[in-house]
């Protein structure tokens, strides 16, 4: 199904599709206007911005967020960075919700897997505090024959690790630019929050209703915002600095006659886009070690993909590298990996003729669904390979640690529905089982990628599911 379809009344004389990124001629005049917006409502739990109804909204417009000094050396989670603050986001036009995602911070744990690690190190570190990048750890111990031998991976930042006298054990220090004691400012792009903006620029000048963006922040009472150095103060508070909460809105303008012609030729614009709906439930370690079949919704909708995450609950998530934003791979016992056995029931048939349980197949499913391989290490994905460093730590956490580090924390099973058919009244059902799993209760999240439709007509917007 196409990502977006516009209906034009006069295709022969139609102006370029100004909403579609990359559609305009290269010789067309384009002007840009940047506006720094203050929120109309802002506190530690919620913020709302209202956009100006002018021009086309650039999908790369950004929201700026910052935290107050937490009084102790600390950072945002390694994998999701500043997205740990955003529990829910909502884009609304008039009385209609155009796009909304719950538990966005957990979904970003999945999406962040696809950022190339050099971009994390050189760009995302400073934009979003996503610093997940690995490099080979060279053996500089006195017993080594040279410093060109490396069999482990450690965190890769602009800082070299501080090494102990043995030349092996050390720690990668926290960069000043992302140390929350220095109250750094980070920003998130609107197209990361709202899938509709991935390829489209909203024609705000054609909309007569109020366009608003709302963020519901992660509560500051459940240790889910930041991470502390090992041995630091538990239950550390991470309050949002509301004075620095801003929106940098970029508006695109074309020649006036072109924008008028586009508006006249597109009195009604119909388009489709993707939206994520969350299904969440809890399991005990005993339950998830047995076959479970349960409903995840989607009845009557057109669903193209299901992204899942299985979080193992811990008492002090701030004392881990990723906080809560991770998904657990099967456990490892005596060098033997457990298996994750799964299938999806769609319209009274199984998505896969044979249950998925091979780790390589799980990885293949993700790559095929996203058309891009996850940028994570084999041990991070499935606890295989055994080459994450146990010696060179980050914030005093060993990347190889299966509870506090990165070991097996990027295992996100995915189900790609390729029939483009509507789900019947029974909805979707997931079958899953861990043959080995870490102790502790689990939270299973399923994000259903649904097709949604919107119509902009006479300045008014209405939306519905396809």
């Amino acid at each position: 199904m196409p990502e977006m379809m516009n209906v034009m009344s006069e295709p022969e004389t139609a102006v370029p599709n100004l909403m579609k990124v990359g559609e305009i001629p290269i010789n067309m005049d384009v002007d840009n206007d940047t506006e720094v917006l203050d929120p109309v409502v802002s506190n530690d739990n919620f913020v709302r911005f209202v956009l100006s109804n002018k021009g086309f909204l650039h999908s790369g417009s950004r929201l700026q967020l910052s935290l107050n000094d937490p009084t102790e050396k600390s950072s945002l989670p390694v994998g999701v960075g500043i997205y740990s603050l955003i529990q829910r986001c909502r884009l609304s036009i008039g009385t209609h919700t155009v796009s909304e995602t719950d538990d966005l911070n957990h979904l970003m744990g999945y999406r962040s897997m696809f950022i190339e690690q050099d971009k994390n190190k050189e760009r995302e570190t400073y934009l979003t505090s996503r610093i997940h990048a690995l490099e080979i750890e060279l053996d500089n111990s006195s017993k080594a024959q040279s410093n060109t031998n490396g069999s482990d991976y450690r965190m890769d930042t602009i800082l070299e690790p501080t090494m102990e006298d043995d030349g092996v054990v050390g720690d990668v220090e926290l960069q000043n630019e992302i140390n929350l004691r220095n109250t750094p400012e980070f920003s998130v792009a609107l197209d990361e929050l709202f899938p509709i903006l991935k390829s489209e620029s909203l024609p705000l000048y054609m909309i007569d209703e109020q366009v608003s963006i709302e963020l519901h922040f992660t509560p500051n009472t459940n240790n889910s915002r930041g991470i502390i150095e090992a041995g630091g103060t538990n239950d550390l508070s991470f309050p949002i600095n509301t004075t620095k909460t801003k929106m940098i809105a970029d508006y695109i303008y074309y020649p006036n006659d072109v924008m008028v012609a586009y508006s006249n030729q597109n009195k009604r614009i119909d388009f489709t886009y993707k939206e994520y709906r969350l299904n969440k439930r809890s399991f005990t370690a005993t339950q998830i070690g047995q076959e479970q079949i349960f409903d995840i919704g989607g009845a009557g909708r057109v669903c193209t993909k299901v992204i899942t995450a299985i979080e193992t609950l811990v008492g002090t998530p701030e004392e881990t590298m990723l906080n809560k934003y991770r998904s657990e791979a099967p456990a490892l016992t005596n060098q033997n990996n457990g298996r994750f056995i799964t299938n999806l029931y769609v319209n009274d048939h199984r998505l896969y003729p044979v249950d998925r349980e091979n780790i390589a197949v799980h990885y293949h499913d993700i790559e095929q669904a996203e058309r891009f391989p996850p940028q994570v290490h084999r041990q991070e994905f499935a606890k295989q390979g055994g080459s994450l460093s146990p010696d060179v730590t980050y914030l005093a956490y060993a990347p190889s640690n299966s509870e506090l580090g990165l070991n097996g924390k990027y295992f996100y099973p995915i189900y790609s529905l390729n029939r483009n058919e509507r789900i019947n009244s029974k909805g979707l059902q997931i079958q899953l089982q861990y043959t080995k799993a870490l102790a502790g209760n689990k939270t299973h999240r399923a994000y259903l990628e649904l097709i949604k439709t919107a119509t902009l007509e006479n300045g008014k917007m209405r939306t519905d599911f396809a």
Side-chain angles (χ1 to χ4, degrees):
M1 180 173 291
E3 186 75 8
M4 182 76 74
M5 296 178 295
N6 286 320
V7 177
M8 295 186 178
S9 58
E10 299 177 22
E12 296 83 2
T13 60
V15 296
N17 186 349
L18 302 181
M19 289 178 61
K20 199 75 171 177
V21 175
E23 288 280 335
I24 65 172
I26 60 174
N27 60 349
M28 179 177 287
D29 291 334
V30 180
D31 195 9
N32 294 280
D33 177 35
T34 298
E35 187 176 23
V36 179
L37 300 175
D38 290 314
V40 295
V41 179
S42 180
N43 53 53
D44 195 60
N45 299 308
F46 176 80
V47 66
R48 177 188 291 128
F49 293 94
V50 175
L51 298 172
S52 301
N53 293 63
K54 60 183 183 181
F56 289 82
L57 176 64
H58 195 292
S59 57
S61 300
R62 304 187 74 89
L63 298 173
Q64 176 183 289
L65 300 171
S66 181
L67 295 171
N68 289 319
D69 181 4
T71 71
E72 191 171 304
K73 183 167 76 170
S74 54
S75 174
L76 293 164
V78 166
V80 299
I82 195 66
Y83 289 97
S84 67
L85 301 185
I86 306 174
Q87 186 175 58
R88 182 198 301 174
C89 59
R90 178 173 179 260
L91 170 64
S92 61
I93 298 178
T95 59
H96 293 272
T97 297
V98 177
S99 182
E100 182 177 26
T101 304
D102 287 320
D103 278 6
L104 176 85
N105 38 19
H106 288 272
L107 179 60
M108 291 307 298
Y110 170 79
R111 287 181 178 170
S112 298
M113 286 200 306
F114 300 96
I115 303 176
E116 296 174 13
Q117 294 196 5
D118 59 336
K119 293 180 180 178
N120 274 338
K121 177 182 177 180
E122 298 173 5
R123 183 188 67 189
E124 293 299 319
T125 295
Y126 310 100
L127 283 178
T128 63
S129 193
R130 289 186 284 192
I131 61 169
H132 175 259
L134 300 176
E135 69 174 348
I136 294 176
E137 173 194 325
L138 297 178
D139 187 353
N140 293 318
S141 67
S142 57
K143 296 180 181 180
Q145 298 299 315
S146 71
N147 62 357
T148 60
N149 178 40
S151 57
D152 291 338
Y153 289 87
R154 61 174 172 85
M155 286 293 294
D156 182 19
T157 72
I158 64 170
L159 301 178
E160 290 295 319
T162 56
M163 305 301 291
E164 302 296 336
D165 293 338
D166 60 9
V168 177
V169 179
D171 186 67
V172 178
E173 290 285 342
L174 181 65
Q175 292 180 221
N176 288 329
E177 295 87 350
I178 60 174
N179 187 342
L180 297 183
R181 292 233 55 188
N182 299 323
T183 63
E185 298 171 7
F186 301 106
S187 64
V188 300
L190 292 188
D191 60 2
E192 291 274 13
L193 304 178
F194 308 110
I196 187 176
L197 300 179
K198 278 291 185 183
S199 59
E200 309 299 325
S201 300
L202 287 181
L204 297 178
Y205 78 105
M206 296 173 61
I207 300 174
D208 297 333
E209 301 172 296
Q210 177 177 289
V211 181
S212 60
I213 291 174
E214 299 175 357
L215 302 182
H216 294 259
F217 294 126
T218 305
N220 194 23
T221 55
N222 61 1
N223 301 319
S224 300
R225 288 184 172 180
I227 60 174
I228 61 175
E229 190 172 30
T233 303
N234 290 332
D235 298 321
L236 195 66
S237 178
F238 294 93
I240 292 174
N241 187 339
T242 55
T243 64
K244 293 185 179 180
T245 303
K246 308 284 185 182
M247 179 175 176
I248 299 90
D250 291 327
Y251 304 95
I252 303 173
Y253 294 91
Y254 302 97
N256 185 66
D257 57 338
V258 174
M259 294 180 67
V260 171
Y262 183 80
S263 177
N264 291 335
Q265 294 181 12
N266 293 274
K267 296 296 185 181
R268 171 181 172 132
I269 302 177
D270 299 305
F271 49 91
T272 64
Y273 57 97
K274 298 172 183 176
E275 178 158 290
Y276 294 93
R277 278 291 180 264
L278 172 67
N279 176 280
K280 182 165 62 173
R281 64 179 61 219
S282 299
F283 295 100
T284 65
T286 300
Q287 288 174 328
I288 211 162
Q290 304 166 354
E291 183 180 279
Q292 301 290 329
I293 300 176
F294 54 93
D295 298 324
I296 60 171
R301 312 297 189 206
V302 177
C303 181
T304 58
K305 187 189 305 177
V306 179
I307 301 167
T308 64
I310 303 97
E311 174 198 355
T312 297
L313 305 182
V314 295
T316 54
E318 75 276 23
E319 286 193 286
T320 66
M321 293 179 68
L322 300 174
N323 202 292
K324 295 181 177 181
Y325 312 109
R326 58 189 188 274
S327 185
E328 201 72 48
L332 181 69
T333 305
N334 298 324
Q335 302 303 312
N336 293 316
N337 288 85
R339 293 173 296 146
F340 178 74
I341 306 170
T342 189
N343 214 321
L344 184 72
Y345 290 87
V346 186
N347 292 346
D348 301 317
H349 70 265
R350 295 152 65 90
L351 180 64
Y352 307 117
V354 179
D355 292 345
R356 293 296 214 242
E357 60 179 275
N358 185 289
I359 289 297
V361 174
H362 290 311
Y363 184 93
H364 172 80
D365 288 340
I366 297 176
E367 184 176 4
Q368 289 298 300
E370 301 294 343
R371 297 293 187 264
F372 191 76
Q375 302 295 293
V376 296
H377 189 272
R378 180 184 175 194
Q379 189 174 357
E380 294 177 299
F381 181 74
K383 299 185 179 179
Q384 296 181 356
S387 57
L388 289 176
S389 177
D391 300 317
V392 180
T393 59
Y394 181 76
L395 287 177
Y397 301 113
S400 62
N401 191 293
S402 62
E403 295 181 358
L404 311 179
L406 306 175
N407 189 4
K409 301 303 182 186
Y410 283 93
F411 183 74
Y412 288 88
I414 191 169
Y415 311 84
S416 183
L417 286 69
N418 54 14
R419 296 190 178 188
N420 197 28
E421 60 185 6
R422 190 173 302 278
I423 308 302
N424 63 19
S425 59
K426 189 176 182 179
L428 298 173
Q429 290 182 309
I430 284 183
Q431 166 203 324
L432 62 82
Q433 178 186 2
Y434 278 86
T435 60
K436 296 178 184 177
L438 290 178
N441 293 331
K442 319 288 181 185
T443 297
H444 181 277
R445 292 177 174 85
Y447 296 90
L448 280 66
E449 187 179 84
L450 305 177
I451 299 299
K452 199 171 183 180
T453 65
T455 299
L456 175 60
E457 186 174 16
N458 297 324
K460 307 296 182 183
M461 180 75 78
R462 61 180 184 271
T463 62
D464 200 358
F465 285 100

